[in-house]
Amino acid sequence: MSTTIVISSINYDGEMANILFKPENINTTINLGEVTLPYTFNPTLLTPPRDVYGTYTILVSNSNCPNIMNVPRPTPTVTPTKTPTPTPTKTPTLTPTITPTPDPCLISPTPTSTVTPTPTLTPTLTPTITPTITPTVTPTPLTCFQKYSKWWELNSFPIYTGITNHFNYVYVPGITNISSGGFNMFNNGNVILLNNPIPRTYGGIGLEYFVSRKNVWPQITLVNLGGVVGPHPISEIGTPGIPSGNDPTNGPYTITRQVFLTQGTYGCGNITGSWYRYSNIGLNPSFLSGSTPTPSIEYVWFTVTSSEWGTEILSVDDDRGSILNPNQLDSTMTVTGKNGFFGMILLSSFNQSSPSIIIPDSQITTFLNNSVCEMFTYLNCTDF
């Protein structure tokens, strides 16, 4: 069994990339951080040690789409025992049909409607009037997640402005990650995983989840716990921006980063829930401590429960900032339960002329009360 693997690319060797590794048959995703291709990976150095088999997601800097590399475990070769027979029977060789795996970055072509010209009617002295029958179009009912996505697009931003010095991060390239966010907020970040090493696309809506589209603030990911008890992880990965400068008096400097973890509860009417915050802020050196170098990065995971739904939350696996490295974004929260919802929101605040601070707990609670709580109260849609 090989203990190392070399990850390289004809197109990207020499460039920086963020690599995610999902070991074979293990329900976890490991962020290997930002490396230079080609990269030699030794999984035996992990805790606990792993082998090389599994799925690797390579996010190359300045590239819009992830590259997926599967390393399957070799299948042992069985040597059959030959049994002589008087008359061998020829068995036709079956040629397997290869089904291509869809590329998540390909965009389906937009259907082109065909316009049929309406013929010009020539009136006669005795015209015959033919009544026009207008067909009745029955709209397709929206799913719950389509309703939630629409509500969030229309209502979340005015509520977001209630957060002091709220910051509208820039979605560039805005497909599965944010390269900068503005003012060096990210250095490639806000990559969202839902129990899968392939990043979710902004604007994606499935049967059990939705991710808000780009240029919607704040960005939200929402998952349905379903009607059967099971685990539901939501992960965020990436790298925060680490700006540097050169002070005329004190010389060159680089900012440091600091992480804060807090939690609380929220609720309105029959809707209640708990929230868990991971905040990562940049700190200037002491001679610039009166200013903020970069916007805060503040992820808030939250549960949505109701006695009317029969919600059961069996456990909450808290793995916020497990690497304990403020220069790396890699946090996962997993809720095990049923008949409820689990989500994550990206908040940010920025005032360049004030010291670096995080969003107050009270403002997070107020935001969830006025947004998530009101959305579920208004729509009252579950689909468990």
Side-chain angles (χ1 to χ4, degrees), residues 86-167:
T87 304
T89 302
K90 293 183 180 181
T91 303
T93 301
L94 298 179
T95 302
T97 300
I98 300 175
T99 303
T101 302
D103 187 338
C105 292
L106 293 180
I107 301 175
S108 300
T110 303
T112 304
S113 57
T114 302
V115 179
T116 303
T118 303
T120 304
L121 300 177
T122 302
T124 60
L125 294 177
T126 308
T128 301
I129 300 175
T130 303
T132 301
I133 301 175
T134 303
T136 302
V137 178
T138 303
T140 303
L142 297 178
T143 66
C144 285
F145 280 114
Q146 288 173 329
K147 293 179 182 179
Y148 292 138
S149 177
K150 189 69 174 178
W151 190 98
W152 196 261
E153 289 184 13
L154 295 175
N155 299 282
S156 65
F157 181 71
I159 304 170
Y160 183 43
T161 60
I163 292 178
T164 304
N165 298 322
H166 74 281
F167 178 68

XYZ file of all heavy atoms in Angstrom, residues 86-167:
629
model
N -13.652 -30.756 -22.803
C -13.499 -31.307 -24.167
C -13.806 -30.279 -25.234
O -13.124 -30.186 -26.235
C -14.492 -32.471 -24.198
C -14.710 -32.813 -22.771
C -14.572 -31.548 -21.997
N -14.877 -29.520 -25.047
C -15.265 -28.566 -26.075
C -15.419 -27.206 -25.419
O -16.403 -26.956 -24.726
C -16.606 -28.970 -26.720
O -16.467 -30.299 -27.219
C -16.980 -28.004 -27.837
N -14.421 -26.329 -25.561
C -14.550 -25.002 -24.912
C -15.660 -24.196 -25.547
O -15.876 -24.245 -26.752
C -13.179 -24.362 -25.158
C -12.659 -25.056 -26.395
C -13.188 -26.466 -26.348
N -16.383 -23.499 -24.683
C -17.471 -22.628 -25.150
C -16.984 -21.197 -25.177
O -16.466 -20.695 -24.179
C -18.690 -22.721 -24.210
O -19.094 -24.094 -24.163
C -19.820 -21.844 -24.709
N -17.108 -20.573 -26.313
C -16.675 -19.174 -26.445
C -17.708 -18.247 -25.795
O -18.875 -18.315 -26.093
C -16.523 -18.796 -27.911
C -15.379 -19.549 -28.595
C -15.220 -19.074 -30.033
C -14.077 -19.813 -30.728
N -13.888 -19.344 -32.121
N -17.217 -17.453 -24.872
C -18.088 -16.475 -24.198
C -17.834 -15.093 -24.784
O -16.684 -14.642 -24.816
C -17.800 -16.423 -22.690
O -17.969 -17.736 -22.167
C -18.734 -15.456 -21.983
N -18.872 -14.449 -25.296
C -18.652 -13.121 -25.902
C -18.148 -12.138 -24.856
O -18.537 -12.195 -23.697
C -20.048 -12.719 -26.418
C -20.990 -13.541 -25.612
C -20.266 -14.826 -25.318
N -17.255 -11.258 -25.266
C -16.720 -10.217 -24.377
C -17.695 -9.047 -24.315
O -18.115 -8.528 -25.336
C -15.372 -9.709 -24.903
O -14.483 -10.822 -24.976
C -14.801 -8.654 -23.967
N -18.051 -8.666 -23.087
C -18.978 -7.547 -22.905
C -18.190 -6.247 -22.869
O -17.187 -6.133 -22.162
C -19.757 -7.711 -21.597
C -20.647 -8.954 -21.514
C -21.336 -9.010 -20.165
C -21.685 -8.936 -22.631
N -18.612 -5.317 -23.640
C -17.970 -3.995 -23.639
C -18.795 -3.061 -22.769
O -19.939 -2.766 -23.083
C -17.899 -3.434 -25.058
O -17.184 -4.355 -25.875
C -17.202 -2.068 -25.055
N -18.218 -2.613 -21.614
C -19.026 -1.743 -20.732
C -19.283 -0.401 -21.380
O -18.454 0.101 -22.141
C -18.137 -1.590 -19.494
C -16.749 -1.814 -20.018
C -16.872 -2.825 -21.113
N -20.449 0.139 -21.080
C -20.799 1.480 -21.568
C -20.388 2.491 -20.511
O -20.812 2.406 -19.360
C -22.313 1.602 -21.808
O -22.668 0.630 -22.788
C -22.664 2.994 -22.310
N -19.560 3.439 -20.877
C -19.061 4.440 -19.929
C -20.034 5.611 -19.895
O -20.330 6.229 -20.915
C -17.664 4.925 -20.329
C -16.692 3.728 -20.333
C -17.180 6.019 -19.398
C -15.313 4.083 -20.830
N -20.542 5.884 -18.714
C -21.455 7.022 -18.537
C -20.652 8.202 -18.017
O -20.075 8.120 -16.937
C -22.564 6.685 -17.520
O -23.248 5.527 -17.995
C -23.536 7.850 -17.384
N -20.556 9.289 -18.777
C -19.734 10.420 -18.312
C -20.324 11.048 -17.067
O -21.528 11.107 -16.895
C -19.786 11.390 -19.507
C -21.045 11.025 -20.223
C -21.222 9.547 -20.035
N -19.426 11.487 -16.176
C -19.850 12.205 -14.973
C -20.073 13.669 -15.315
O -19.211 14.299 -15.913
C -18.776 12.114 -13.886
O -18.538 10.731 -13.611
C -19.233 12.823 -12.619
N -21.233 14.241 -14.977
C -21.496 15.634 -15.347
C -20.505 16.574 -14.674
O -20.152 16.369 -13.526
C -22.930 15.875 -14.844
C -23.457 14.560 -14.447
C -22.324 13.625 -14.261
N -20.068 17.577 -15.397
C -19.188 18.601 -14.834
C -20.046 19.623 -14.106
O -20.906 20.258 -14.709
C -18.435 19.276 -15.984
C -17.375 20.236 -15.471
O -17.512 20.678 -14.324
O -16.435 20.533 -16.222
N -19.834 19.826 -12.768
C -20.698 20.770 -12.042
C -20.527 22.198 -12.504
O -21.321 23.051 -12.156
C -20.235 20.594 -10.593
C -18.837 20.071 -10.693
C -18.828 19.206 -11.924
N -19.416 22.479 -13.265
C -19.186 23.847 -13.688
C -19.767 24.146 -15.064
O -19.696 25.268 -15.538
C -17.691 24.163 -13.697
S -16.991 24.184 -12.050
N -20.281 23.089 -15.779
C -20.895 23.330 -17.074
C -22.280 23.894 -16.898
O -23.037 23.458 -16.046
C -20.960 22.038 -17.889
C -19.608 21.449 -18.342
C -19.831 20.182 -19.129
C -18.828 22.459 -19.170
N -22.636 24.865 -17.722
C -23.952 25.503 -17.643
C -24.785 25.021 -18.808
O -24.352 25.087 -19.960
C -23.825 27.030 -17.665
C -22.958 27.494 -16.477
C -25.183 27.699 -17.643
C -22.687 28.972 -16.479
N -25.952 24.492 -18.502
C -26.831 24.003 -19.561
C -27.241 25.151 -20.466
O -27.497 26.267 -20.003
C -28.075 23.352 -18.944
O -27.687 22.280 -18.131
N -27.327 24.894 -21.770
C -27.712 25.986 -22.680
C -29.126 26.453 -22.414
O -29.987 25.692 -22.002
C -27.595 25.333 -24.069
C -27.725 23.855 -23.814
C -27.108 23.625 -22.468
N -29.317 27.742 -22.597
C -30.632 28.330 -22.386
C -31.524 28.003 -23.572
O -31.132 28.230 -24.720
C -30.512 29.849 -22.237
O -29.622 30.114 -21.154
C -31.869 30.477 -21.985
N -32.693 27.432 -23.334
C -33.576 27.098 -24.458
C -33.936 28.342 -25.262
O -34.154 29.409 -24.697
C -34.812 26.501 -23.773
C -34.368 26.149 -22.407
C -33.248 27.080 -22.055
N -33.975 28.185 -26.571
C -34.319 29.296 -27.454
C -35.752 29.108 -27.938
O -36.093 28.079 -28.508
C -33.373 29.341 -28.664
O -32.034 29.424 -28.189
C -33.695 30.520 -29.542
N -36.567 30.084 -27.622
C -37.963 29.980 -28.032
C -38.101 30.376 -29.501
O -37.402 31.267 -29.989
C -38.823 30.889 -27.156
O -38.366 32.207 -27.234
N -38.996 29.700 -30.211
C -39.231 29.976 -31.629
C -40.489 30.824 -31.762
O -41.534 30.481 -31.207
C -39.413 28.662 -32.413
O -38.242 27.865 -32.223
C -39.612 28.946 -33.882
N -40.352 31.950 -32.453
C -41.489 32.855 -32.638
C -42.151 32.531 -33.959
O -41.508 32.553 -35.016
C -41.042 34.333 -32.630
C -42.233 35.251 -32.839
C -40.338 34.636 -31.323
N -43.446 32.200 -33.915
C -44.208 31.896 -35.128
C -44.968 33.150 -35.541
O -45.772 33.674 -34.751
C -45.198 30.749 -34.871
O -44.445 29.607 -34.410
C -45.966 30.400 -36.132
N -44.707 33.681 -36.722
C -45.397 34.919 -37.129
C -46.897 34.696 -37.261
O -47.362 33.617 -37.647
C -44.756 35.242 -38.483
C -44.202 33.935 -38.968
C -43.808 33.159 -37.751
N -47.634 35.676 -36.870
C -49.093 35.626 -36.973
C -49.513 36.108 -38.356
O -49.140 37.211 -38.768
C -49.731 36.513 -35.899
O -49.253 36.069 -34.627
C -51.248 36.419 -35.946
N -50.249 35.286 -39.096
C -50.645 35.716 -40.457
C -51.583 36.914 -40.402
O -52.354 37.083 -39.461
C -51.356 34.473 -41.017
C -51.797 33.704 -39.808
C -50.763 33.950 -38.754
N -51.481 37.748 -41.417
C -52.340 38.941 -41.518
C -53.690 38.549 -42.132
O -53.750 37.902 -43.175
C -51.667 40.007 -42.391
O -50.378 40.301 -41.832
C -52.515 41.254 -42.459
N -54.765 38.932 -41.447
C -56.103 38.596 -41.925
C -56.590 39.674 -42.895
O -56.453 40.879 -42.631
C -57.079 38.485 -40.750
C -56.736 37.414 -39.693
C -57.749 37.474 -38.554
C -56.734 36.043 -40.340
N -57.108 39.224 -44.018
C -57.670 40.167 -44.999
C -59.186 40.209 -44.808
O -59.871 39.197 -44.986
C -57.345 39.714 -46.429
O -55.924 39.608 -46.563
C -57.892 40.696 -47.448
N -59.720 41.379 -44.409
C -61.174 41.453 -44.135
C -61.983 41.326 -45.428
O -61.569 41.735 -46.499
C -61.325 42.834 -43.504
C -60.161 43.616 -44.005
C -59.034 42.652 -44.178
N -63.153 40.737 -45.310
C -64.101 40.661 -46.423
C -65.333 41.475 -46.062
O -65.473 41.985 -44.958
C -64.508 39.211 -46.685
O -65.118 38.694 -45.504
C -63.293 38.352 -47.003
N -66.292 41.605 -47.041
C -67.494 42.399 -46.766
C -68.322 41.778 -45.662
O -69.000 42.475 -44.918
C -68.323 42.525 -48.069
C -67.665 43.330 -49.210
C -68.559 43.295 -50.457
C -67.425 44.757 -48.744
N -68.287 40.463 -45.545
C -69.050 39.788 -44.485
C -68.066 38.935 -43.666
O -67.912 37.744 -43.909
C -70.161 38.901 -45.076
O -70.945 39.674 -46.001
C -71.059 38.346 -43.975
N -67.375 39.567 -42.761
C -66.368 38.798 -42.001
C -67.031 37.832 -41.019
O -68.099 38.095 -40.496
C -65.587 39.884 -41.253
C -66.573 41.000 -41.095
C -67.463 40.958 -42.318
N -66.354 36.717 -40.859
C -66.810 35.754 -39.863
C -65.968 35.927 -38.605
O -64.732 35.859 -38.658
C -66.662 34.319 -40.380
O -67.447 34.192 -41.579
C -67.111 33.311 -39.329
N -66.585 36.165 -37.486
C -65.882 36.401 -36.227
C -65.673 35.068 -35.520
O -66.629 34.362 -35.205
C -66.666 37.366 -35.327
C -66.839 38.718 -36.051
C -65.946 37.556 -33.996
C -67.705 39.697 -35.286
N -64.398 34.720 -35.354
C -64.065 33.480 -34.649
C -63.560 33.829 -33.261
O -62.578 34.568 -33.121
C -62.969 32.708 -35.406
O -63.427 32.448 -36.741
C -62.623 31.405 -34.686
N -64.242 33.384 -32.237
C -63.779 33.729 -30.871
C -62.414 33.101 -30.587
O -62.114 31.990 -31.009
C -64.870 33.128 -29.973
C -65.476 32.045 -30.800
C -65.408 32.509 -32.222
N -61.575 33.873 -29.909
C -60.242 33.391 -29.535
C -60.320 32.723 -28.172
O -60.822 33.306 -27.206
C -59.244 34.567 -29.477
O -59.205 35.188 -30.771
C -57.853 34.072 -29.090
N -59.842 31.512 -28.123
C -59.849 30.768 -26.865
C -58.474 30.916 -26.214
O -57.445 30.545 -26.786
C -60.160 29.277 -27.084
C -61.546 29.133 -27.762
C -60.085 28.498 -25.778
C -61.889 27.711 -28.132
N -58.435 31.511 -25.044
C -57.182 31.699 -24.316
C -57.005 30.551 -23.334
O -57.818 30.365 -22.431
C -57.188 33.031 -23.546
O -57.432 34.101 -24.467
C -55.857 33.252 -22.831
N -55.958 29.746 -23.539
C -55.768 28.619 -22.611
C -55.410 29.110 -21.212
O -54.758 30.136 -21.036
C -54.601 27.849 -23.241
C -53.870 28.876 -24.048
C -54.914 29.832 -24.560
N -55.841 28.385 -20.243
C -55.540 28.710 -18.847
C -54.238 28.024 -18.449
O -54.114 26.811 -18.552
C -56.675 28.239 -17.918
O -57.894 28.863 -18.333
C -56.365 28.581 -16.466
N -53.269 28.844 -18.054
C -51.958 28.318 -17.661
C -51.959 28.079 -16.160
O -52.207 28.996 -15.377
C -50.832 29.292 -18.044
C -49.483 28.758 -17.591
C -50.845 29.545 -19.545
N -51.697 26.843 -15.766
C -51.636 26.514 -14.345
C -50.178 26.537 -13.900
O -49.378 25.726 -14.372
C -52.230 25.118 -14.072
O -53.577 25.085 -14.567
C -52.194 24.796 -12.593
N -49.802 27.482 -13.046
C -48.405 27.566 -12.628
C -47.995 26.347 -11.793
O -48.797 25.787 -11.051
C -48.356 28.851 -11.792
C -49.768 29.044 -11.306
C -50.655 28.488 -12.386
N -46.731 25.939 -11.950
C -46.206 24.838 -11.156
C -45.955 25.318 -9.733
O -45.284 26.334 -9.541
C -44.887 24.314 -11.753
O -45.122 23.915 -13.103
C -44.343 23.149 -10.947
N -46.492 24.637 -8.741
C -46.292 25.090 -7.352
C -44.807 25.099 -6.990
O -44.043 24.227 -7.407
C -47.059 24.044 -6.528
C -47.993 23.382 -7.493
C -47.322 23.428 -8.818
N -44.395 26.099 -6.215
C -43.012 26.180 -5.766
C -42.763 25.195 -4.641
O -43.633 24.924 -3.822
C -42.693 27.597 -5.276
C -42.788 28.739 -6.294
C -42.485 30.064 -5.624
C -41.840 28.504 -7.458
N -41.547 24.638 -4.609
C -41.159 23.805 -3.476
C -40.869 24.704 -2.277
O -40.730 25.932 -2.408
C -39.911 22.982 -3.800
O -38.789 23.882 -3.972
C -40.099 22.173 -5.078
N -40.748 24.099 -1.108
C -40.453 24.886 0.095
C -39.139 25.645 -0.055
O -39.054 26.829 0.283
C -40.392 23.983 1.321
S -42.016 23.431 1.899
N -38.104 24.987 -0.584
C -36.821 25.660 -0.686
C -36.830 26.753 -1.749
O -36.104 27.738 -1.631
C -35.707 24.647 -0.950
C -35.267 23.932 0.292
C -35.488 22.574 0.440
C -34.673 24.619 1.335
C -35.101 21.918 1.599
C -34.281 23.980 2.494
C -34.494 22.622 2.628
N -37.646 26.595 -2.790
C -37.806 27.687 -3.744
C -38.475 28.886 -3.076
O -38.112 30.044 -3.329
C -38.622 27.222 -4.949
C -37.866 26.279 -5.878
C -38.746 25.703 -6.966
O -39.946 25.502 -6.788
N -38.146 25.415 -8.119
N -39.439 28.622 -2.194
C -40.089 29.708 -1.448
C -39.113 30.385 -0.498
O -39.071 31.612 -0.391
C -41.288 29.161 -0.679
C -42.433 28.667 -1.542
C -43.566 28.109 -0.692
C -44.701 27.574 -1.548
N -45.798 26.996 -0.710
N -38.307 29.567 0.225
C -37.336 30.144 1.154
C -36.309 31.001 0.411
O -35.947 32.095 0.861
C -36.619 29.033 1.921
C -37.502 28.275 2.877
C -37.408 26.893 2.990
C -38.431 28.943 3.663
C -38.222 26.184 3.863
C -39.249 28.248 4.543
C -39.148 26.863 4.633
O -39.961 26.183 5.504
N -35.836 30.498 -0.734
C -34.852 31.243 -1.512
C -35.422 32.581 -1.973
O -34.750 33.618 -1.889
C -34.409 30.413 -2.725
O -33.511 31.135 -3.538
N -36.668 32.570 -2.445
C -37.306 33.805 -2.912
C -37.502 34.781 -1.760
O -37.245 35.987 -1.894
C -38.659 33.462 -3.552
C -39.328 34.623 -4.264
C -38.575 35.009 -5.514
C -39.310 36.057 -6.311
N -38.558 36.489 -7.512
N -37.948 34.280 -0.617
C -38.171 35.154 0.544
C -36.853 35.798 0.969
O -36.808 36.994 1.260
C -38.754 34.354 1.704
C -39.244 35.190 2.859
C -40.523 35.580 3.114
C -38.440 35.747 3.916
N -40.581 36.346 4.256
C -39.305 36.467 4.763
C -37.095 35.717 4.224
C -38.863 37.136 5.903
C -36.635 36.406 5.351
C -37.512 37.090 6.176
N -35.784 35.008 1.004
C -34.488 35.531 1.454
C -33.975 36.620 0.517
O -33.450 37.650 0.972
C -33.475 34.401 1.560
C -32.270 34.766 2.366
C -31.057 35.172 1.907
C -32.174 34.781 3.797
N -30.206 35.422 2.953
C -30.864 35.198 4.126
C -33.050 34.471 4.824
C -30.425 35.313 5.449
C -32.617 34.587 6.132
C -31.330 35.009 6.437
N -34.145 36.432 -0.784
C -33.697 37.439 -1.747
C -34.443 38.758 -1.566
O -33.867 39.835 -1.743
C -33.893 36.932 -3.171
C -32.934 35.819 -3.570
C -33.084 35.412 -5.024
O -33.755 36.168 -5.767
O -32.560 34.353 -5.416
N -35.713 38.687 -1.210
C -36.529 39.895 -1.113
C -36.420 40.589 0.241
O -36.625 41.809 0.326
C -38.002 39.556 -1.378
C -38.358 39.062 -2.789
C -39.826 38.652 -2.849
C -38.054 40.126 -3.820
N -36.089 39.848 1.305
C -36.235 40.410 2.652
C -34.972 40.450 3.506
O -34.932 41.170 4.506
C -37.301 39.609 3.421
C -38.661 39.667 2.767
O -39.396 40.645 2.878
N -39.014 38.601 2.056
N -33.936 39.660 3.168
C -32.809 39.543 4.102
C -31.951 40.801 4.188
O -31.458 41.147 5.266
C -31.933 38.350 3.710
O -31.329 38.558 2.443
N -31.746 41.496 3.060
C -30.800 42.610 3.078
C -31.238 43.758 3.994
O -30.408 44.274 4.766
C -30.549 43.129 1.665
C -29.557 44.263 1.633
C -28.216 44.026 1.883
C -29.972 45.559 1.375
C -27.298 45.080 1.872
C -29.067 46.607 1.371
C -27.723 46.373 1.615
N -32.503 44.213 3.954
C -32.881 45.281 4.887
C -32.646 44.890 6.350
O -32.323 45.749 7.174
C -34.378 45.489 4.591
C -34.552 45.022 3.191
C -33.615 43.867 3.037
N -32.808 43.605 6.670
C -32.567 43.154 8.047
C -31.065 43.150 8.338
O -30.624 43.510 9.434
C -33.176 41.758 8.259
C -34.670 41.777 7.906
C -32.992 41.291 9.700
C -35.306 40.392 7.850
N -30.264 42.776 7.339
C -28.804 42.754 7.483
C -28.247 44.145 7.787
O -27.268 44.291 8.528
C -28.204 42.203 6.188
C -26.708 42.036 6.164
C -26.009 41.500 7.247
C -25.977 42.403 5.027
C -24.626 41.328 7.191
C -24.606 42.231 4.973
C -23.934 41.695 6.062
O -22.564 41.524 6.000
N -28.881 45.197 7.235
C -28.397 46.564 7.466
C -28.562 46.983 8.923
O -27.985 47.989 9.338
C -29.141 47.567 6.570
O -30.548 47.523 6.857
C -28.915 47.253 5.102
N -29.333 46.224 9.710
C -29.467 46.526 11.139
C -28.224 46.175 11.934
O -28.102 46.558 13.106
N -27.288 45.424 11.340
C -26.026 45.103 12.011
C -25.071 46.278 11.854
O -24.878 46.792 10.755
C -25.407 43.823 11.416
C -26.282 42.614 11.772
C -23.976 43.618 11.887
C -25.795 41.309 11.194
N -24.481 46.717 12.951
C -23.596 47.880 12.941
C -22.426 47.649 11.986
O -21.735 46.633 12.071
C -23.065 48.164 14.356
O -24.174 48.342 15.254
C -22.202 49.416 14.372
N -22.225 48.621 11.078
C -21.126 48.576 10.103
C -21.167 47.300 9.258
O -20.115 46.735 8.920
C -19.764 48.688 10.804
C -19.595 50.006 11.533
O -20.019 51.051 11.059
N -18.974 49.956 12.705
N -22.381 46.831 8.916
C -22.485 45.639 8.077
C -21.705 45.849 6.780
O -21.622 46.963 6.263
C -23.954 45.347 7.759
C -24.538 46.290 6.754
N -24.963 47.565 7.081
C -24.744 46.156 5.415
C -25.418 48.169 6.000
N -25.295 47.341 4.974
N -21.121 44.763 6.260
C -20.273 44.864 5.068
C -20.826 43.973 3.969
O -21.071 42.787 4.188
C -18.835 44.454 5.399
C -17.906 44.494 4.221
C -17.561 45.700 3.625
C -17.371 43.324 3.692
C -16.709 45.737 2.532
C -16.522 43.354 2.605
C -16.192 44.566 2.022
